[in-house]
Structures are given as structure tokens and as C-alpha cells.
Amino acid sequence: MILHTEVAGDGEPLVFLHTGLQTGKTDFDKQREYFSSKYQVISPDLRGHGESPSDDLEDYFNKAADDLAETFRSLEINHAHITGCSFGALVAIFLAKRHPEFVWTLTISGVTPLKPDNWKSMNEEESKFRLNLLKDEETCAYFDSLHGNGWQRFIHMGQDDEWYPFEAIRSIQSLNMPILYVIGEGLEHEVNGLMDYKEQSDSVHTAVLPYASHLVHSEQPDLYNKTLEVFLSNWES
């Protein structure tokens, strides 16, 4: 499917892939403002989010990657700098593996390449938190305004501790494009994953930002922007 996409600025295409239950408009806003003076900033709504409605969430990450490839073709984009966080970073990795011709550089944050020993209990705790969101009228009204009906399916998807695609994202040795992995210092399992990715490939560059955790681009936007800017300046086409 062709995704609803916001475009700002001119220059080389720079794609930001939002976190779960956000949209192209609501996430990476500080990055869009910063980079649109030099790049053509592209902000899609991923499948089932925002103005890209879909009832088909099976095999989600593969289909989301295919959606991006179809969208790029419709926009006549031959290749782009791809940036994603958390849910969006997972989609970005699937895109880089399934459609590498579109990925000039890959920047990811908020992913866990190595399955933690306590993953089951971690996911149970997160699932309880997410399910409690469904009991809050104000929260539900907010997500209704972003996505319309059906966004609750992503909450229920996370109840299955097999939802996270550890096996698919574990290895990046097949990827030949330059990769930047940016994380906050706050989560040990993401720090461990950073070292694992770094050891797999000389194409991987890493950055650990202080006073930040899972959503490093929103927790430390200025540091994130500068880090991404330095990386991109070395790989302009």
C-alpha cells in the first residue's frame, strides 16, 4: 500500500519512521524542523497508523517494509537516508534487508538486537502498562484522534511475547550501507545490543547519549540532531 506521507524541504531524501502509535506528524518533530532546511524530509504514517489505515496487521514488519518501497516508487525516490526509532527502527531494518536499493544510510535507535534473559517478564510488565492505557478516556480520545478506529490492535499485539522480531533483526552482516546506531545510556539491553551490532560490521557507527533512554531523539533532541548531522555529512550522495 502507498502510505500517507508528509514532505518538507528540498534536497536529498531523509525519511523519519515514527514510533508505535505515533504518526509522521507527531513524532520526530524536532528533527523535521532541524533538517528540512537542507534535506527533503519525508514523514510517512506506517501501516495502521494515522492516515495510512489498514485492517491487515499480519506479518506486519515485512508488509510495512514493502509499503515503504511502494511509497518511495510513487514519490520517485531512488534512495534515501532512513531513520527510525523503536517500532519505526524495526521497520527500517526490515526495509534495509528486503529493499536495500532504497536505503542510502540507515540510522536506528531504541531497538534490542539481543533477546534479554528476562524478556518474558519485561514484556508482561510493558503489556500491563499498555493495557491500562485502554482504561484512560483521555488517552483513548487522543489516539482516536490520531488513528481513528483499530489502533487498539497494536496494544493487543504486544501481549504476545513473540511479537518482537529478535531473530530477524539480530544479524546485520548482510547490510552494506552505512549504519548509525544511536541510543540513550539508560537501558542496559540497548547498550549491549549496540556493542553486538558494532562487532558485526565495520559499517556500523555508534553513539551513546547521556541523560536519555529509549526515545533518545525526543529526550535529547539537540544532541541527537548533531550526531545525525555529522553522520549524514559523511555519506551525502
Side-chain angles (χ1 to χ4, degrees):
M1 63 181 286
I2 296 177
L3 303 171
H4 173 80
T5 303
E6 301 286 331
V7 180
D10 295 302
E12 293 182 356
L14 172 58
V15 179
F16 289 108
L17 302 180
H18 60 77
T19 56
L21 290 183
Q22 291 301 312
T23 70
K25 286 183 179 179
T26 59
D27 204 359
F28 283 101
D29 53 318
K30 297 294 186 182
Q31 288 69 42
R32 185 166 51 252
E33 178 182 354
Y34 186 85
F35 285 100
S36 61
S37 63
K38 183 176 180 182
Y39 294 88
Q40 181 186 46
V41 176
I42 298 166
S43 305
D45 291 349
L46 296 173
R47 172 179 289 248
H49 292 76
E51 297 183 52
S52 298
S54 176
D55 294 327
D56 182 6
L57 301 184
E58 295 295 323
D59 193 20
Y60 184 88
F61 295 107
N62 282 317
K63 289 180 179 176
D66 292 344
D67 292 342
L68 286 170
E70 185 175 354
T71 302
F72 294 159
R73 293 188 191 101
S74 73
L75 295 173
E76 298 183 347
I77 293 173
N78 295 321
H79 61 254
H81 302 288
I82 307 296
T83 305
C85 177
S86 191
F87 200 77
L90 298 177
V91 175
I93 295 170
F94 274 75
L95 174 70
K97 289 192 170 187
R98 289 175 68 83
H99 304 282
E101 67 275 12
F102 288 109
V103 184
W104 183 248
T105 67
L106 176 66
T107 300
I108 53 176
S109 60
V111 299
T112 305
L114 300 173
K115 187 174 184 178
D117 293 336
N118 63 336
W119 169 249
K120 187 175 180 64
S121 61
M122 283 175 56
N123 193 63
E124 287 177 355
E125 184 176 343
E126 283 294 318
S127 294
K128 289 178 183 178
F129 172 78
R130 290 189 290 260
L131 286 172
N132 282 332
L133 295 178
L134 301 179
K135 302 175 184 178
D136 187 288
E137 291 185 3
E138 185 175 345
T139 299
C140 288
Y142 170 71
F143 287 125
D144 284 345
S145 71
L146 293 184
H147 311 294
N149 295 326
W151 60 268
Q152 299 88 344
R153 291 171 297 170
F154 289 100
I155 300 289
H156 296 301
M157 180 192 300
Q159 290 183 273
D160 181 357
D161 60 13
E162 297 297 323
W163 79 270
Y164 202 92
F166 288 107
E167 184 176 349
I169 69 166
R170 169 66 181 80
S171 174
I172 58 169
Q173 292 176 346
S174 64
L175 301 182
N176 296 318
M177 72 285 295
I179 300 171
L180 174 63
Y181 186 22
V182 187
I183 64 168
E185 64 181 357
L187 291 179
E188 181 180 357
H189 56 272
E190 291 188 7
V191 174
N192 292 338
L194 178 146
M195 295 308 300
D196 184 73
Y197 271 173
K198 181 67 175 174
E199 291 171 358
Q200 288 188 46
S201 173
D202 293 335
S203 298
V204 176
H205 304 267
T206 59
V208 182
L209 304 189
Y211 306 107
S213 188
H214 184 60
L215 302 178
V216 63
H217 69 288
S218 59
E219 295 163 349
Q220 287 288 357
D222 293 337
L223 283 175
Y224 181 94
N225 290 350
K226 290 296 185 182
T227 302
L228 179 57
E229 183 176 40
V230 170
F231 173 69
L232 294 179
S233 69
N234 282 277
W235 301 105
E236 294 177 347
S237 61

